[in-house]
Amino acid sequence: GIINMAADLNSCQTTWELTQRYGYVYGAAGIHPEEARDLPHDWLAQVKAWLGRPKMGAVGEIGLDYHWLDACPKDRQQEVFGLQLELARELSLPVVVHDREAHADCLAMVKEFPGVRGVFHCFSGSPEMAEALIKRGWYLGIDGPIPYKNARRAPEVAEVIPLERIVVETDAPYLTPEPFRGKRNDSRYLPYVIEKMARW
């Protein structure tokens, strides 16, 4: 199966449509941190409504992205992330967390919601952060950058993640692994990520 992530209110709609068109596609509804600046007053109610539909099984892609602060300032990202973590707790749904250059704040915020679990998508934190999340019941996403030559920290992180806590992801259409970097990513390239991990 495939889980398609929403990033804004419009893509909640398109995600839902994909789940209806294809039996093997499931959806997540949420507001990505880059899309968190200008939202209608009822945005959270809209996300909640999408999550009430069949085959919409997670809150995502949500989180913090401090690489693109021109898209949305930190305080607004944190506000929107916190409200969606609260929604996940209320609905007893898993979350898919986007964490880019915001490791300490992401970890601190999920610690405030100990009952919420899910996947730290495209995990890029430290081995220590990985261990802290694993102890709290989280899964860690491993993606296409694993085979990149500059992914020096990845082997150290992979060593501390139990196999049953690894989610191998595409992040399609992004993060295509070598030797296909620069092309549109899809699930055909997952074996390259797994093969690289198996060599460590």
Side-chain angles (χ1 to χ4, degrees):
I2 294 172
I3 300 177
N4 192 75
M5 294 291 127
D8 55 24
L9 294 175
N10 288 335
S11 57
C12 288
Q13 170 74 33
T14 54
T15 293
W16 162 252
E17 291 171 358
L18 286 169
T19 69
Q20 299 309 291
R21 194 175 310 147
Y22 303 103
Y24 56 87
V25 176
Y26 296 81
I31 304 297
H32 189 283
E34 290 179 49
E35 305 296 333
R37 182 191 293 270
D38 298 313
L39 294 168
H41 72 279
D42 65 341
W43 69 269
L44 192 60
Q46 291 188 50
V47 171
K48 184 176 181 179
W50 288 116
L51 291 168
R53 297 190 177 203
K55 297 182 71 182
M56 299 293 281
V59 183
E61 179 175 338
I62 65 174
L64 302 174
D65 191 322
Y66 293 171
H67 185 77
W68 300 113
L69 290 177
D70 55 334
C72 186
K74 286 183 182 182
D75 58 345
R76 177 59 172 168
Q77 289 187 35
Q78 292 170 7
E79 176 190 8
V80 171
F81 185 28
L83 288 169
Q84 291 179 103
L85 288 170
E86 178 62 46
L87 180 62
R89 179 166 62 185
E90 175 190 337
L91 299 177
S92 298
L93 287 174
V95 300
V96 180
V97 173
H98 175 101
D99 168 21
R100 187 173 186 188
E101 299 176 17
H103 305 317
D105 285 348
C106 271
L107 181 58
M109 289 190 70
V110 300
K111 283 181 176 179
E112 295 176 18
F113 297 87
V116 175
R117 303 280 191 281
V119 178
F120 257 68
H121 150 69
C122 195
F123 184 76
S124 60
S126 67
E128 294 77 18
M129 182 179 179
E131 289 178 323
L133 289 167
I134 289 162
K135 286 177 184 176
R136 288 167 173 80
W138 286 80
Y139 291 80
L140 304 181
I142 305 296
D143 299 60
I146 285 293
Y148 295 175
K149 291 178 181 177
N150 63 352
R152 297 181 187 91
R153 187 186 244 178
E156 298 173 16
V157 171
E159 284 180 10
V160 304
I161 310 174
L163 285 176
E164 66 271 14
R165 293 296 185 85
I166 294 174
V167 177
V168 182
E169 309 171 305
T170 62
D171 196 35
Y174 310 110
L175 302 180
T176 310
E178 299 288 2
F180 305 100
R181 194 171 181 180
K183 296 184 178 180
R184 185 187 190 282
N185 199 6
D186 64 45
S187 55
R188 291 174 294 179
Y189 302 128
L190 290 176
Y192 294 89
V193 178
I194 296 167
E195 180 183 7
K196 179 67 173 182
M197 291 178 61
R199 291 177 181 169
W200 293 335

